[in-house]
Amino acid sequence: MSKRLGIKCKLYLNVNTYESPTWNNVDRVSDATLNIQWEEGDAKSRESIISTFEPTMGTLDCSGKIRVDGDDGNYVAIRNAFAGKVALDLLILDGEHDEDDSEGVRGDFKVFNFSRDESMGNVIFRDFTLKPCIPTAGRVAVRHVVVAGGIPVYSDFGG
Amino acid sequence: MPDLARVLAACDDVVTAIRETWEPSGVDSVERAYFSGVTEKDLASLTGRKVYVFPASYDDSPIDRGNDEWIHEIGIVVVERYADGGKPSVAWMDERVLFVEQTVRTSIDFDGREGSLGGRLTTQTAPVTDVFEVAAFHETRAFWSEIQLELREIVEA
């Protein structure tokens, strides 16, 4: 599929082991943004009159809105992870996890923002921000994902 | 696929909710109707208290990745002719105005009520746009009041 739509993007929560994940679709999510970029290392030298740079450290976060629904297990898991500062194994893709060419990231994330707007007349959503955290023992840091052959294929950033 | 359009099912849910608070007796009634206005002639022969619930408009859009939000605009008309002849008394009118506020409007204050098609209905606004309609009052000695109800319904996509 060449065209990708925001409404078809997925935030998956692993509810099984790291090695044999079971991906729950967190479908109470509304607008979300995956921010990912390299910091710039100044690489100017006499080789070029034009300033040069190299990507160094990367920063990544996912922010968005999730509709409050205490009957939804995925929402409750994220709420509890925020309250308990607990890591979540997440897969953030622009399509289904078994759909070829879906791309995104997988890793351990913690919830750093879980605010809400209680304006009169609002359906209540939580604004959330997910950031990579220190990986749980035995896991690796956040990795890049592209689905191929119906399976997420992982690679290290900068590798 | 349901047998009934969502907005009509929502109207039926409104009728049910009103009946839970007010059980019409005799010639009184509450019903869903395709309502284009009771004519002056209709009013002249009207008997009992009538509550008409009718669809006005609807729309839906995704509220999140797994659910749609429907907005149902529903009109409610409460009408009753003063049958005793002469001008309706203030007390008679007061009783009808109170009925609209305390019975009809209170009964449609939905807070996530499960609708007949499985969605969750929440009342967004319910302004009484006419406490009483002046022309109906003067020309036909009838009480006529209108509510414009906006319901939101969250439905699994």
Side-chain angles (χ1 to χ4, degrees), chain A residues 40-114:
Chain A
E40 299 172 3
D42 185 349
K44 288 195 283 285
S45 74
R46 292 173 179 172
E47 284 181 295
S48 170
I49 197 169
I50 303 297
S51 296
T52 53
F53 301 88
E54 285 293 327
T56 57
M57 297 294 289
T59 57
L60 186 159
D61 67 63
C62 179
S63 59
K65 295 164 58 179
I66 182 166
R67 185 163 59 83
V68 172
D69 184 351
D71 294 331
D72 181 69
N74 298 318
Y75 169 79
V76 170
I78 291 172
R79 181 187 67 192
N80 292 348
F82 170 75
K85 299 181 181 178
V86 174
L88 297 167
D89 181 10
L90 299 176
L91 178 62
I92 305 169
L93 294 176
D94 62 359
E96 305 276 348
H97 65 79
D98 57 357
E99 177 187 354
D100 283 359
D101 293 328
S102 292
E103 61 185 55
V105 296
R106 179 196 179 179
D108 276 359
F109 288 81
K110 287 187 177 176
V111 186
F112 283 82
N113 172 40
F114 209 49

Side-chain angles (χ1 to χ4, degrees), chain A residues 9 27-29 67 121 125, chain B residues 62-67 69 124:
Chain A
C9 292
D27 67 0
R28 297 302 192 264
V29 168
R67 185 163 59 83
F125 282 78
Chain B
I63 190 170
D64 56 40
R65 291 174 179 174
N67 296 274
E69 181 182 52
Q124 187 66 14

Side-chain angles (χ1 to χ4, degrees), chain B residues 21-72:
Chain B
T21 308
W22 176 62
E23 187 59 46
S25 58
V27 291
D28 297 342
S29 67
V30 52
E31 62 187 280
R32 173 164 64 82
Y34 285 99
F35 191 79
S36 57
V38 174
T39 65
E40 197 170 311
K41 185 181 171 187
D42 294 332
L43 272 180
S45 59
L46 192 73
T47 56
R49 183 176 301 177
K50 310 292 186 190
V51 180
Y52 298 109
V53 178
F54 58 95
S57 68
Y58 64 90
D59 194 7
D60 76 299
S61 59
I63 190 170
D64 56 40
R65 291 174 179 174
N67 296 274
D68 291 336
E69 181 182 52
W70 287 70
I71 297 175
H72 306 295

Side-chain angles (χ1 to χ4, degrees), chain B residues 66-135:
Chain B
N67 296 274
D68 291 336
E69 181 182 52
W70 287 70
I71 297 175
H72 306 295
E73 302 272 0
I74 292 171
I76 301 172
V77 167
V78 179
V79 61
E80 185 173 355
R81 186 171 61 89
Y82 186 67
D84 292 345
K87 183 181 171 187
S89 66
V90 169
W92 187 88
M93 291 293 286
D94 286 354
E95 186 187 329
R96 272 83 197 151
V97 172
L98 188 66
F99 172 77
V100 171
E101 181 196 286
Q102 293 292 315
T103 302
V104 178
R105 208 158 170 276
T106 302
S107 65
I108 56 173
D109 188 10
F110 297 160
D111 181 14
R113 177 188 174 109
E114 184 168 358
S116 54
L117 294 184
R120 294 281 173 182
L121 293 162
T122 299
T123 299
Q124 187 66 14
T125 58
V128 178
T129 54
D130 274 313
V131 174
F132 74 104
E133 215 279 318
V134 175

